[in-house]
Amino acid sequence: HDTIGMLTLDQAGNLSGACTTSGAAFKYHGRVGDSPIIGAGLYVDNEVGGATATGWGEAVIRAVGCFLVVEFMRQGHDPETACRMAVERVISKNPDWREIQVGFLALSKDGEYGSFCIAPGFNYAVRTPEIDNQLFDAQSRL
Ligand code: ASP
């Protein structure tokens, strides 16, 4: 269960991304979550970087969250900062933000990566030629 997002940078410097839908979570009849909406649950611009999201999809859709993360990287912010800024945008739109969870993961064109979420508990795995599937805890606001 839960969303899985993946971001990759190949040896030629090309970025790609994918994400699953959330499995059993939030599966109401007729609901479309953020995962299948490009720009919301996933966005990749091969000139800049990619981002993927998890958490309460409605809040991610309203912020066009992953597009926002990539635009913050385009402005020169590192991936973790871009994710944090997108989380702050979600927080600003949701007075009940302490009751929800949203998290972003980002990878830049130069191979930097980072993550940020509202509440602690998310982690992500990194694999590079130097790092063999190491788990990291996402930074969080709470
Ligand atoms: N973002 C997914 C959704 O709202 C849920 C999840 O990330 O677990 O459909």
Side-chain angles (χ1 to χ4, degrees):
H1 67 89
D2 287 355
T3 298
I4 297 173
M6 295 180 75
L7 302 166
T8 65
L9 179 66
D10 72 13
Q11 288 182 325
N14 290 310
L15 290 155
S16 63
C19 66
T20 66
T21 57
S22 61
F26 304 117
K27 277 286 185 289
Y28 316 125
H29 184 74
R31 177 181 184 265
V32 177
D34 58 323
S35 302
I37 301 176
I38 298 300
L42 177 72
Y43 191 71
V44 178
D45 183 327
N46 203 29
E47 292 178 4
V48 178
T52 187
T54 187
W56 188 43
E58 281 76 356
V60 177
I61 292 169
R62 286 190 202 107
V64 199
C66 288
F67 180 76
L68 188 61
V69 171
V70 172
E71 289 309 297
F72 285 141
M73 288 196 286
R74 191 190 308 279
Q75 291 169 11
H77 299 285
D78 63 76
E80 184 181 308
T81 302
C83 291
R84 181 177 55 73
M85 292 169 76
V87 163
E88 294 298 337
R89 178 70 59 86
V90 170
I91 286 172
S92 74
K93 289 177 174 291
N94 291 277
D96 63 339
W97 64 272
R98 285 184 176 81
E99 315 302 320
I100 65 172
Q101 174 66 305
V102 165
F104 296 104
L105 171 67
L107 173 66
S108 71
K109 184 77 175 171
D110 58 9
E112 264 193 291
Y113 51 85
S115 180
F116 203 89
C117 54
I118 293 178
F122 279 151
N123 53 33
Y124 61 98
V126 174
R127 183 177 181 129
T128 71
E130 295 79 34
I131 299 174
D132 187 19
N133 289 331
Q134 191 176 339
L135 275 184
F136 293 89
D137 290 325
Q139 298 297 308
S140 62
R141 182 69 145 62
L142 291 175

